[in-house]
Amino acid sequence: MQPAGPAPHPHSRTRPVHWLATAAALAAVLGGAVLAGPGDATATAGRPRPAAAPDPYAAHYPVDCGPVSADVVGQAPADLDGDGRAETAVVVRCPSGAGTRPSGVYVLAHPASRGSAPRVAATLVDPRERMSVTGLVASGGTLSATLLGYSGPGVPRCCPDRRRVVKWHWRDGKFVLTAQPVAGSV
């Protein structure tokens, strides 16, 4: 025997039409909020909009890759020197079919004149140092990266056996390198 109680109401069971109506109402509310939200002029009023960082693909790097162009393999845009304009730190290297080619780290500044390429304002790692660079990150006025190198000429170029985390800080008109302690050192 079934317990006595109120009979279920036909409108209290969910059906696909209820879910569709709910989804349509939610979409209408969200769409209205987007359309009614502040436009670009209102959203940034009173705040200066930072200038776009220099385009790393438009720059010319002091790297000799023969007949091909250097590859941009990493970039970190930020205001590194505190002048209110973004620079772009860039890791570049020559294309390679095998092995790991040395990397260069450059800081790009805005071009001197409109329509010209961004200029290389600083070289932080020269490819002639024969290092690979990974993990380039800009935070505030600091750049950090991991440098991978080789203990000697007998180490295969595919497999760096030295690793060092470094940071560059803008101080007195130039970038100053600070090497982090090597893991396991005292």
Side-chain angles (χ1 to χ4, degrees), residues 12-54:
S12 64
R13 281 184 263 147
T14 58
R15 293 196 171 109
V17 71
H18 293 118
W19 290 110
L20 289 173
T22 302
L26 183 59
V29 168
L30 290 175
V34 168
L35 293 174
D40 285 343
T42 311
T44 58
R47 287 183 288 164
R49 195 174 244 175

Side-chain angles (χ1 to χ4, degrees), residues 6 12 18-19 23 38 53 57 80 82 85 90-91 95 113 137 142 161:
S12 64
H18 293 118
W19 290 110
Y57 298 99
L80 299 170
R85 296 177 59 176
V90 185
V91 179
S113 62
V137 175
T142 301
D161 62 344

Side-chain angles (χ1 to χ4, degrees), residues 44-106:
T44 58
R47 287 183 288 164
R49 195 174 244 175
D55 180 6
Y57 298 99
H60 304 287
Y61 300 99
V63 177
D64 182 13
C65 296
V68 296
S69 298
D71 286 337
V72 173
V73 295
Q75 59 180 298
D79 181 7
L80 299 170
D81 58 7
D83 67 353
R85 296 177 59 176
E87 291 77 33
T88 304
V90 185
V91 179
V92 299
R93 68 175 174 224
C94 294
S96 172
T100 304
R101 299 293 298 247
S103 302
V105 178
Y106 304 97

